[in-house]
Amino acid sequence: MRVYRLVENSLKKFEKNLKKEKNEPPLLYKLLGLEKDATLEEIKIAYKKLAKKYHPDLNKDSKGALEIIKQINEAYDVLSNEEKRREYDLYGTYK
């Protein structure tokens, strides 16, 4: 009986977190400041804006700029490619 309650409570917490996550856009979208239903044009605009802002040549003093630009490039690479984006939207991962 006690094990049943533990499992039941764990499932309730999992379902609650899952509902919370459904309302939030996935990580790559958040990184570019976009919603999940963003168009390709919106993705390009957000990418160019962030790439210019965090470009290492413009932020020579910032050690984190290089890491940020790598993440921005990765997000753009996945979201601008229809096949990778579809896979990311379905499974949360990409190749």
Short mmCIF file of all heavy atoms in Angstrom, two decimals, residues 7-8 15 32 37 40 49 51 54 77 82 84 86:
data_model
loop_
_atom_site.label_atom_id
_atom_site.label_comp_id
_atom_site.label_asym_id
_atom_site.label_seq_id
_atom_site.Cartn_x
_atom_site.Cartn_y
_atom_site.Cartn_z
N VAL A 7 4.37 5.73 -5.69
CA VAL A 7 4.29 5.74 -7.15
C VAL A 7 3.22 6.72 -7.61
O VAL A 7 3.43 7.49 -8.55
CB VAL A 7 3.99 4.31 -7.69
CG1 VAL A 7 3.69 4.34 -9.18
CG2 VAL A 7 5.15 3.39 -7.39
N GLU A 8 2.09 6.71 -6.95
CA GLU A 8 1.00 7.62 -7.30
C GLU A 8 1.44 9.08 -7.15
O GLU A 8 1.18 9.90 -8.02
CB GLU A 8 -0.21 7.33 -6.41
CG GLU A 8 -1.45 8.08 -6.83
CD GLU A 8 -2.63 7.70 -5.95
OE1 GLU A 8 -2.76 8.29 -4.85
OE2 GLU A 8 -3.40 6.82 -6.37
N GLU A 15 3.16 14.46 -13.98
CA GLU A 15 2.09 15.03 -14.80
C GLU A 15 2.01 16.54 -14.62
O GLU A 15 1.80 17.28 -15.58
CB GLU A 15 0.76 14.38 -14.46
CG GLU A 15 0.65 12.95 -14.94
CD GLU A 15 -0.59 12.26 -14.45
OE1 GLU A 15 -1.36 12.86 -13.66
OE2 GLU A 15 -0.81 11.10 -14.85
N LEU A 32 16.55 31.66 -28.72
CA LEU A 32 16.41 32.72 -29.74
C LEU A 32 15.29 33.70 -29.40
O LEU A 32 15.04 34.63 -30.15
CB LEU A 32 16.14 32.09 -31.12
CG LEU A 32 17.28 31.26 -31.70
CD1 LEU A 32 16.87 30.67 -33.04
CD2 LEU A 32 18.55 32.07 -31.85
N ASP A 37 5.81 28.22 -32.55
CA ASP A 37 5.17 28.36 -33.87
C ASP A 37 5.83 29.46 -34.72
O ASP A 37 5.23 29.94 -35.69
CB ASP A 37 3.68 28.64 -33.71
CG ASP A 37 3.40 29.92 -32.93
OD1 ASP A 37 4.33 30.48 -32.34
OD2 ASP A 37 2.23 30.35 -32.92
N LEU A 40 9.99 30.76 -40.36
CA LEU A 40 11.40 30.75 -40.76
C LEU A 40 11.94 32.18 -40.80
O LEU A 40 13.08 32.42 -40.40
CB LEU A 40 11.57 30.06 -42.11
CG LEU A 40 12.99 29.88 -42.59
CD1 LEU A 40 13.82 29.10 -41.57
CD2 LEU A 40 13.01 29.16 -43.93
N LYS A 49 19.90 39.14 -35.21
CA LYS A 49 19.95 40.12 -34.12
C LYS A 49 20.87 39.64 -32.99
O LYS A 49 21.74 40.38 -32.52
CB LYS A 49 18.53 40.36 -33.59
CG LYS A 49 18.44 41.38 -32.52
CD LYS A 49 16.99 41.55 -32.09
CE LYS A 49 16.86 42.53 -30.95
NZ LYS A 49 15.46 42.67 -30.52
N ALA A 51 23.14 37.16 -33.17
CA ALA A 51 24.50 36.91 -33.65
C ALA A 51 25.30 38.20 -33.68
O ALA A 51 26.49 38.22 -33.34
CB ALA A 51 24.45 36.27 -35.04
N TYR A 54 26.08 39.23 -29.91
CA TYR A 54 27.04 38.41 -29.16
C TYR A 54 28.26 37.97 -29.97
O TYR A 54 29.01 37.11 -29.52
CB TYR A 54 26.34 37.18 -28.59
CG TYR A 54 25.35 37.53 -27.51
CD1 TYR A 54 23.98 37.50 -27.76
CD2 TYR A 54 25.78 37.92 -26.26
CE1 TYR A 54 23.07 37.83 -26.78
CE2 TYR A 54 24.88 38.25 -25.27
CZ TYR A 54 23.52 38.21 -25.54
OH TYR A 54 22.63 38.54 -24.56
N ASP A 77 20.81 26.53 -36.60
CA ASP A 77 21.05 25.39 -37.48
C ASP A 77 19.89 24.39 -37.41
O ASP A 77 19.41 23.91 -38.43
CB ASP A 77 22.36 24.70 -37.12
CG ASP A 77 22.65 23.50 -37.99
OD1 ASP A 77 22.64 23.65 -39.24
OD2 ASP A 77 22.88 22.41 -37.44
N GLU A 82 14.16 22.27 -41.90
CA GLU A 82 12.82 21.69 -41.67
C GLU A 82 12.87 20.29 -41.06
O GLU A 82 12.11 19.97 -40.15
CB GLU A 82 12.04 21.65 -42.97
CG GLU A 82 11.58 23.01 -43.43
CD GLU A 82 10.74 22.93 -44.70
OE1 GLU A 82 10.00 21.94 -44.86
OE2 GLU A 82 10.84 23.85 -45.51
N LYS A 84 15.39 18.79 -39.30
CA LYS A 84 15.91 18.83 -37.92
C LYS A 84 14.88 19.43 -36.98
O LYS A 84 14.72 18.98 -35.84
CB LYS A 84 17.20 19.63 -37.85
CG LYS A 84 18.39 18.94 -38.47
CD LYS A 84 19.63 19.80 -38.33
CE LYS A 84 20.85 19.20 -38.97
NZ LYS A 84 22.03 20.07 -38.83
N ARG A 86 11.57 19.45 -37.28
CA ARG A 86 10.48 18.51 -37.08
C ARG A 86 10.90 17.45 -36.04
O ARG A 86 10.14 17.13 -35.12
CB ARG A 86 10.11 17.84 -38.39
CG ARG A 86 8.85 17.03 -38.35
CD ARG A 86 8.42 16.44 -39.68
NE ARG A 86 8.62 17.34 -40.80
CZ ARG A 86 9.51 17.13 -41.79
NH1 ARG A 86 10.26 16.04 -41.78
NH2 ARG A 86 9.64 17.98 -42.79
#
